[in-house]
Amino acid sequence: MINTQMKRANSLFILLALVAINSSAQTKKTIPASQSKMDIFINSLLSKMTIDEKIGQLNLLTGGEATTGAAVSTDVESKIAKGNVGGIFSMTTPDKIRKTQEIAMKSRLKIPLIFGQDVIHGYKTTFPIPLALAASWDLSLIEKTARVAATEASADGLSWTFSPMVDIARDARWGRIAEGSGEDTYLGSQIAKVMVKGYQGDNLSKYNTIMACVKHFALYGAAEAGRDYNTTDMSLDRMYNDYLPPYKAALDAGAGSIMVSFNDINGVPATANKWLLTDVLRKQWGFKGFVVSDYTGVSELIDHGLGDLKTVSALSLKAGTDMDMVSEGFLSTLKQSLKEGKVTTAQIDNACRLILQAKYKLGLFEDPFRYCNEERAKKEILTPANIQFAREAATKTFVLLKNQNQTLPLKKSGTIALVGPLGNTKSNMPGTWSVNSDMNLVPSLLEGLKNVGGNNVKIVYSLGSNLTTDETLQINSTMFGREIPRDNRNEGELIKEAVQNASKADVVIAALGESSEMSGESSSRTDIGIPESQKRLLAALLKTGKPVVLVLFTGRPLAIKWESENVPAILNVWFGGIQTTNAIADVLFGDVNPSGKLPVTFPQNIGQVPIYYSHKNTGRPLPDGKWFTKFKSNYLDVSNEPLYPFGFGLSYTTFTYEGLKLSSNTLKPNQKITVTTTVTNTGKFAGEEIVQLYTRDLVGTSTRPVKELKGFQKIKLQPGESKMVTFNLTEEDLKFYTSDLKFVAEPGDFKVFVGPNVKDVKEADFKLVN
Ligand code: NOJ
């Protein structure tokens, strides 16, 4: 009832505003014909707002359901009532959000709040972590995960998600590599686009779409030494060609907002970086949405060394940060800065306008309770179809790294010894940043294997090893309720028990690797191997002579050279969401054939990091096939090769690639050449293959990478079936930013490569002419 009244009151308010503006327009003729309804409405509203109310809109507070910093917001309700708050994040459910929105509806101008949340890889139906989703290379699948997430989140009161995270990451030490799409600019940009589409649909004001917030702008994934929040110092060449395109792709796809990163960029932290937030974002890219800081990003500028709260708040606003998350620096200092002439009314108005526009586009002025529908929440969250889709999605993300002697798939009979700290935990399965997952709904791997294996399989579980021998490391790696209980018996006893069970089994499944909180925010590691106690367990299991399958849980590329040399089968399963264990069992028992491919390079050892395929050639490249050559660019102690290259992943079947044909060896502007190859399934299982196309620009005014992904196609083939795969290449695909930042393709010689991963490719030559 109250809602209907408020809805009516608000619609009346909009109508009056429109009438007022229209009549004044008729008399004074000051309003350009091009003004949209939205502009008219917001101009009218702005004209009624006090400076305090305007600054209030720039203030984003946390509802406290999940915190990612030391600060928490206090007196939230009284601040809302005074019109001192523009939005709330980390608060869910229609009930709580309705109550909070009602407070805003009682404030003087009844401006609705926007409600945000980190809906990162699904909402309650949690999907695989973003790095895993990238391993599917399946754009329609990824778009659908975002669509389902938006449907569920909007049914639970939310209208804004802090996703997609599109930071390119090439340093596996950085824990947040788990939250993005990996190392590659092209793949990352494609994924960025479809995620925005999935969240926002084609109409933001629809009840089941939410606004995307692209993050973290910019270069957050290039933190020095892989240490979270650390400094970034980067050339314009690398920025424009490698790191910036995914942000731009997401914005070009229509993302309504963008979040600023925590890091220093070439001497100016992003939150106060005018070049980044105004010159690049607004002037070069024409972004029209709003810019929000990260959690206390504004007040952290004090520790960066830019001044006191008043100074850094003014700096941030002037640079282009519109909304201040949690610091309350804008709220507490901007009015004074205005009096002192340090900021202008126009700067405050501009930021306020952008935030009001976002609310308008979401339809919040029309109906502040649009996203609070208890009935929808009951019906549309965690539906059987969504849960089934989560299972299907997870199966597409696993990467089969090794399968000697066809150890996999397993038979649904006999005895399986399931061993390891990841084998019997529910809470560690969904993956980092899954605050909305109900861990009780997540089957453990033990349960998943039983569900799929059926009654003819006997499964015996033993822990075998704690996550790590270091108790403090374990505590820090299992926060937010993601515990893995410790067993206080000594290591020898734990291993003995596991070995005894393994000796009696037909096959051993070793569920090892990282806990889910060993990756994600503030979870960087300097050792990116499987923890040593787990490795000792694995060695003991291998000594039994039983076939061992390593089911590897990880949120980053791990250094697993020893494992890859010694374990017959390795299935990399990342962290796959609430249905991951059923999905793992689907794949282990062969109900689903694995098809994922690595979106990141796996190093041989930590010393190779950062390692990525699209590196430059150097003036002293190592000759092909060589390891060490004096005075060449290489290491004494390890080859330059990765352990597993970008794009790599096996299947239970085998694929061959025949021929690589170009329609012409000359590419002219405004024309295309087609590149074709024939792929055949030469094995016994139906399977999916991800066919990848790379190019190399051989001569130019700037140095270019040795390979760049420019296209990929996922195809499905029955045993014995062949398909011709065709890619089109145009001049557009060959464009890059030159040293004077012109986006051009330079005529000359190119190579094109096609294959199942970046390394095992066939190549051909062509020329771009003008
Ligand atoms: C900090 C994280 O960096 C960011 O990704 C997240 O969206 C905010 N906290 C809000 O939770």
Side-chain angles (χ1 to χ4, degrees):
M1 182 60 185
I2 296 179
N3 285 333
T4 336
Q5 276 172 4
M6 280 176 178
K7 234 158 111 177
R8 281 202 202 115
N10 234 42
S11 316
L12 193 67
F13 175 67
I14 296 178
L15 199 75
L16 289 176
L18 290 175
V19 170
I21 292 294
N22 277 341
S23 54
S24 76
Q26 272 158 14
T27 47
K28 295 191 203 144
K29 295 211 166 71
T30 49
I31 301 197
S34 62
Q35 273 204 355
S36 66
K37 268 190 186 172
M38 177 175 80
D39 293 334
I40 296 168
F41 173 74
I42 286 171
N43 284 339
S44 158
L45 182 53
L46 270 171
S47 71
K48 297 187 187 73
M49 291 173 81
T50 63
I51 195 68
D52 290 308
E53 284 164 336
K54 288 176 186 169
I55 293 171
Q57 286 303 305
L58 319 188
N59 190 28
L60 177 64
L61 298 184
T62 167
E65 280 179 14
T67 42
T68 51
V72 285
S73 304
T74 53
D75 299 325
V76 176
E77 295 192 354
S78 67
K79 285 174 188 154
I80 296 172
K82 281 189 237 149
N84 282 343
V85 183
I88 299 285
F89 71 103
S90 283
M91 176 185 282
T92 56
T93 71
D95 178 47
K96 275 197 245 166
I97 290 181
R98 179 183 299 281
K99 284 189 183 129
T100 309
Q101 190 72 296
E102 277 167 1
I103 304 174
M105 287 301 106
K106 285 181 198 141
S107 65
R108 192 180 78 89
L109 287 173
K110 304 185 183 4
I111 300 176
L113 298 162
I114 185 172
F115 288 89
Q117 162 87 304
D118 287 278
V119 181
I120 305 295
H121 45 111
Y123 187 63
K124 293 226 163 117
T125 301
T126 315
F127 297 109
I129 57 169
L131 188 62
L133 281 174
S136 75
W137 298 54
D138 190 330
L139 297 176
S140 54
L141 179 106
I142 296 172
E143 180 174 339
K144 189 171 165 196
T145 64
R147 184 83 294 277
V148 169
T151 306
E152 292 197 356
S154 61
D156 221 18
L158 300 167
S159 45
W160 187 28
T161 175
F162 300 149
S163 173
M165 192 277 220
V166 304
D167 304 316
I168 294 293
R170 295 172 171 179
D171 190 329
R173 291 171 293 186
W174 192 52
R176 300 196 81 173
I177 196 169
E179 291 178 52
S181 298
E183 74 182 48
D184 187 58
T185 310
Y186 179 82
L187 180 61
S189 300
Q190 301 301 314
I191 293 175
K193 278 191 234 170
V194 296
M195 288 199 69
V196 171
K197 245 173 102 192
Y199 289 133
Q200 297 197 163
D202 47 19
N203 179 1
L204 259 185
S205 72
K206 265 183 88 177
Y207 66 92
N208 64 357
T209 55
I210 57 179
M211 184 172 278
C213 184
V214 184
K215 66 189 191 185
H216 304 82
F217 195 57
L219 325 177
Y220 184 39
E224 274 178 8
R227 181 156 57 78
D228 210 356
Y229 318 123
N230 206 5
T231 302
T232 301
D233 201 306
M234 192 183 282
S235 70
L236 290 176
D237 172 29
R238 179 166 290 179
M239 248 190 235
Y240 274 80
N241 285 309
D242 298 359
Y243 279 74
L244 292 181
Y247 305 106
K248 182 159 188 306
L251 298 178
D252 289 347
S257 64
I258 190 163
M259 187 186 294
V260 188
S261 57
F262 288 119
N263 49 292
D264 183 330
I265 297 177
N266 297 351
V268 184
T271 316
N273 196 316
K274 192 164 187 209
W275 171 78
L276 183 75
L277 301 182
T278 299
D279 296 352
V280 176
L281 187 63
R282 302 284 183 194
K283 295 186 187 153
Q284 290 173 25
W285 295 358
F287 177 57
K288 301 268 186 305
F290 75 97
V291 177
V292 61
S293 81
D294 202 341
Y295 202 103
T296 57
V298 171
S299 55
E300 287 173 24
L301 295 173
I302 303 171
D303 281 324
H304 274 286
L306 295 194
D308 60 11
L309 188 62
K310 188 162 64 130
T311 310
V312 298
S313 300
L315 272 177
S316 305
L317 180 79
K318 285 193 291 188
T321 300
D322 303 309
M323 195 177 220
D324 168 6
M325 188 194 294
V326 179
S327 300
E328 296 188 52
F330 283 9
L331 188 72
S332 59
T333 68
L334 280 187
K335 197 171 173 186
Q336 184 58 27
S337 293
L338 181 66
K339 278 191 197 137
E340 292 169 11
K342 305 239 165 71
V343 298
T344 62
T345 310
Q347 283 159 347
I348 293 171
D349 278 6
N350 185 49
C352 182
R353 176 188 298 280
L354 295 170
I355 291 156
L356 296 174
Q357 281 176 350
K359 294 179 178 181
Y360 186 98
K361 288 179 194 155
L362 284 164
L364 285 166
F365 283 107
E366 204 176 84
D367 179 3
F369 303 98
R370 169 158 289 173
Y371 304 93
C372 295
N373 180 335
E374 281 81 357
E375 283 312 303
R376 272 193 69 214
K378 271 186 229 142
K379 270 202 237 134
E380 294 181 24
I381 296 177
L382 278 174
T383 62
N386 290 357
I387 294 172
Q388 179 55 34
F389 175 55
R391 180 167 176 170
E392 186 199 324
T395 61
K396 307 256 180 196
T397 66
F398 305 149
V399 184
L400 184 63
L401 294 176
K402 187 175 174 190
N403 194 18
Q404 195 178 302
N405 304 328
Q406 292 177 317
T407 309
L408 289 172
L410 304 176
K411 288 198 227 77
K412 288 185 181 171
S413 61
T415 303
I416 294 175
L418 172 65
V419 183
L422 278 308
N424 195 17
T425 153
K426 291 167 175 285
S427 64
N428 272 262
M429 295 296 100
T432 190
W433 255 137
S434 50
V435 283
N436 301 299
S437 290
D438 178 348
M439 261 90 82
N440 296 316
L441 298 178
V442 182
S444 67
L445 183 55
L446 178 58
E447 290 166 329
L449 290 171
K450 285 185 178 161
N451 292 343
V452 178
N455 294 335
N456 292 335
V457 189
K458 185 176 166 205
I459 303 169
V460 184
Y461 173 71
S462 30
L463 179 69
S465 154
N466 282 312
L467 178 69
T468 150
T469 41
D470 182 336
E471 276 187 54
T472 313
L473 176 59
Q474 176 149 351
I475 291 168
N476 293 340
S477 307
T478 51
M479 290 179 162
F480 310 122
R482 310 294 162 124
E483 285 96 19
I484 297 181
R486 281 186 82 78
D487 190 320
N488 289 328
R489 283 177 290 169
N490 71 38
E491 187 173 311
E493 280 176 82
L494 292 175
I495 292 184
K496 195 169 153 204
E497 180 185 68
V499 165
Q500 268 168 5
N501 286 336
S503 310
K504 286 185 238 150
D506 299 301
V507 61
V508 180
I509 297 179
L512 307 179
E514 300 187 314
S515 61
S516 64
E517 295 308 315
M518 273 179 155
S519 60
E521 186 168 354
S522 187
S523 295
S524 294
R525 296 179 69 198
T526 59
D527 173 353
I528 55 166
I530 296 177
E532 289 301 323
S533 58
Q534 296 188 48
K535 277 175 90 165
R536 289 191 287 270
L537 166 66
L538 189 57
L541 294 171
L542 288 166
K543 277 206 195 122
T544 64
K546 299 287 177 175
V548 176
V549 177
L550 171 58
V551 173
L552 184 62
F553 289 87
T554 179
R556 54 162 60 77
L558 290 181
I560 48 163
K561 188 156 193 265
W562 178 85
E563 293 82 343
S564 82
E565 284 165 358
N566 291 286
V567 185
I570 306 176
L571 184 69
N572 192 85
V573 296
W574 319 102
F575 292 98
I578 53 163
Q579 277 292 307
T580 192
T581 53
N582 286 331
I584 293 170
D586 288 338
V587 169
L588 290 177
F589 288 116
D591 293 347
V592 178
N593 190 351
S595 59
K597 303 248 188 184
L598 296 176
V600 275
T601 305
F602 270 46
Q604 296 189 62
N605 66 28
I606 182 84
Q608 288 184 310
V609 167
I611 182 169
Y612 53 97
Y613 80 89
S614 64
H615 58 82
K616 303 285 182 78
N617 200 35
T618 82
R620 293 188 174 191
L622 191 64
D624 271 351
K626 284 271 168 45
W627 172 341
F628 177 80
T629 308
K630 195 69 187 167
F631 305 122
K632 294 291 179 189
S633 178
N634 47 215
Y635 301 102
L636 276 171
D637 54 351
V638 68
S639 75
N640 286 354
E641 292 301 311
L643 181 62
Y644 295 111
F646 178 83
F648 177 81
L650 302 171
S651 162
Y652 293 156
T653 193
T654 43
F655 298 101
T656 55
Y657 285 62
E658 292 274 324
L660 177 61
K661 274 204 207 114
L662 307 191
S663 57
S664 163
N665 293 101
T666 311
L667 175 59
K668 297 187 184 124
N670 304 320
Q671 292 191 1
K672 63 172 188 194
I673 51 177
T674 55
V675 181
T676 48
T677 189
T678 301
V679 184
T680 305
N681 180 345
T682 48
K684 296 200 180 77
F685 296 81
E688 289 183 302
E689 170 68 334
I690 300 160
V691 185
Q692 301 156 41
L693 179 141
Y694 301 84
T695 59
R696 177 168 179 185
D697 186 346
L698 287 166
V699 182
T701 55
S702 303
T703 57
R704 307 292 307 130
V706 293
K707 279 186 190 128
E708 291 177 88
L709 183 70
K710 296 291 180 183
F712 57 87
Q713 287 180 39
K714 197 166 183 177
I715 55 168
K716 186 163 189 175
L717 292 175
Q718 298 301 321
E721 191 186 353
S722 295
K723 250 185 207 159
M724 193 161 93
V725 179
T726 303
F727 295 93
N728 292 326
L729 265 182
T730 67
E731 187 189 17
E732 203 54 33
D733 298 315
L734 307 175
K735 286 189 172 165
F736 70 100
Y737 287 92
T738 57
S739 57
D740 49 0
L741 298 184
K742 293 214 172 73
F743 191 58
V744 292
E746 294 181 335
D749 291 329
F750 287 80
K751 275 192 182 300
V752 58
F753 312 86
V754 176
N757 61 65
V758 72
K759 199 167 157 236
D760 303 312
V761 285
K762 296 186 183 305
E763 61 178 78
D765 301 299
F766 70 93
K767 231 183 223 320
L768 175 68
V769 295
N770 48 18

